[in-house]
Amino acid sequence: MLGASPVLAQATKPSPPEASAAPVKLDTVTARRGDFRQTVDAAGKLQLHTWADAYARIGGQVKEVLVAIGDTVQVDQALLDSSARPLKAQNATREDAFESARMNASSANARVDAIAAQIHEREATLKIDEEACQKTLVRSPIAGTVVSMAARVAESDVTRLRPGMAASFTTPGYPGKHWSGTLRQVTPIPDEGTGEQGKQAFYTVLFEVKNADHELMSGMSAQVQFVVAQARDTLLLPANGLGAQDEDGQYRVNALDAGQHVAARKVKVGLRNVQQVQILSGLAPGDKVLVGSAPDAGTKSPAASGS
């Protein structure tokens, strides 16, 4: 009897298709046009620029104070009026003597010459008293609307400052408001207690700002910026997009082309600070630059995201 032997068949599982490479998300920054300022930052304090003491040139009693604290005064404006108490009584006596002398002159011709001499003497005395009274009127020697700013700048930055340079500052009392002025002087001697035993030296830098609205007061603290260099409507790139510098002074960047592929470029840089660099050549407005190292050459269709 013949029996049928079973036939065993093993089905092979089809191989799974190769997984396609996933797009790599790249961080990029964008070159854009804008204004650039290269600054030196310093902490400062407001102080009076010019002041003067006003006082009477002769002793006396204050008769009237003509200004109040905080008022704006002009040169030669009257501040207070004082009268010399001894002179008042003396003047009354002299006036009586003057009238008496005139009466005696009309009634006693023999004494005319003597009385005339007394009259001349008293007239001279009255003139002296009038001049003395003028000295009791106190006038302002100056007009004041300018405030001086003193900022301490480290020795590593102070060599970049020059008189006439623009400066601006903010103060906590007026959040969001800026005041502008002009650098007047960099003191050649470091501040006391700095630059000793390996410590960095700090120098006092003075600049002036108008205070027409009397908002600023002596002693206010401020955050100061001295404008070392600036450029208007220039091409800027965030500093983290800049690569290493070559021997020719240019920098490498990894830019994305129209097909979103990475291409190495060389750029020429002008002004720079911690946040931004000025691009003189090698990029155009709108170009995207890779932050960090470029991906492997086999990377397909990278997805770019950034600013």
Side-chain angles (χ1 to χ4, degrees):
M1 183 175 184
L2 298 174
S5 301
V7 178
L8 301 177
Q10 183 177 5
T12 59
K13 294 182 179 180
S15 301
E18 292 185 6
S20 58
V24 177
K25 188 175 182 179
L26 303 177
D27 290 331
T28 62
V29 291
T30 305
R32 294 188 175 94
R33 301 197 73 85
D35 297 338
F36 181 90
R37 298 180 75 187
Q38 192 176 55
T39 63
V40 169
D41 297 343
K45 190 171 290 291
L46 291 168
Q47 65 183 33
L48 298 176
H49 172 220
T50 304
W51 67 93
D53 295 326
Y55 52 88
R57 291 172 291 174
I58 190 171
Q61 181 180 12
V62 175
K63 180 180 179 182
E64 184 180 6
V65 178
L66 305 175
V67 293
I69 294 175
D71 287 353
T72 300
V73 296
Q74 303 302 321
V75 176
D76 205 36
Q77 178 179 335
L79 304 180
L80 63 86
D81 189 9
S82 63
S83 59
R85 287 180 295 179
L87 293 177
K88 186 174 182 181
Q90 291 174 14
N91 287 342
T93 302
R94 291 178 183 124
E95 290 176 6
D96 293 340
F98 184 81
E99 292 299 325
S100 176
R102 291 182 60 183
M103 293 177 63
N104 293 336
S106 62
S107 61
N109 291 332
R111 300 174 56 194
V112 168
D113 293 340
I115 293 174
Q118 292 179 14
I119 291 172
H120 289 305
E121 180 182 356
R122 282 164 173 73
E123 286 177 345
T125 304
L126 287 172
K127 184 177 180 180
I128 294 173
D129 288 349
E130 288 176 359
E131 293 177 353
C133 287
Q134 286 295 322
K135 294 181 180 180
T136 65
L137 185 63
V138 180
R139 298 183 179 274
S140 175
I142 61 172
T145 57
V146 178
V147 170
S148 177
M149 164 70 71
R152 296 181 70 208
V153 178
E155 59 180 305
S156 56
D157 292 323
V158 75
T159 54
R160 302 161 65 191
L161 305 183
R162 296 290 183 272
M165 183 179 290
S168 64
F169 71 92
T170 59
T171 184
Y174 299 97
K177 187 168 183 178
H178 290 74
W179 280 267
S180 299
T182 303
L183 193 155
R184 177 165 59 93
Q185 180 185 6
V186 179
T187 59
I189 301 174
D191 292 350
E192 186 176 355
T194 69
E196 300 174 354
Q197 298 179 351
K199 295 180 181 179
Q200 186 170 211
F202 285 84
Y203 295 81
T204 297
V205 178
L206 303 176
F207 76 93
E208 297 164 4
V209 58
K210 292 184 178 180
N211 189 31
D213 296 330
H214 308 288
E215 295 175 311
L216 302 174
M217 293 180 287
S218 181
M220 283 183 168
S221 60
Q223 187 61 37
V224 188
Q225 283 192 333
F226 298 97
V227 182
V228 177
Q230 59 183 336
R232 302 285 187 184
D233 192 28
T234 189
L235 187 60
L236 302 174
L237 181 72
N240 57 352
L242 204 62
Q245 187 177 22
D246 290 340
E247 294 180 356
D248 57 3
Q250 299 189 64
Y251 289 81
R252 293 181 177 272
V253 298
N254 293 311
L256 297 181
D257 60 19
Q260 296 295 292
H261 293 90
V262 178
R265 294 191 198 175
K266 284 188 176 184
V267 297
K268 187 177 180 180
V269 171
L271 302 174
R272 61 185 303 172
N273 57 26
V274 177
Q275 293 81 24
Q276 294 179 313
V277 293
Q278 180 189 25
I279 302 299
L280 301 180
S281 64
L283 291 174
D287 284 351
K288 292 186 178 296
V289 173
L290 185 66
V291 176
S293 59
D296 295 336
T299 301
K300 298 180 180 179
S301 301
S305 67
S307 57

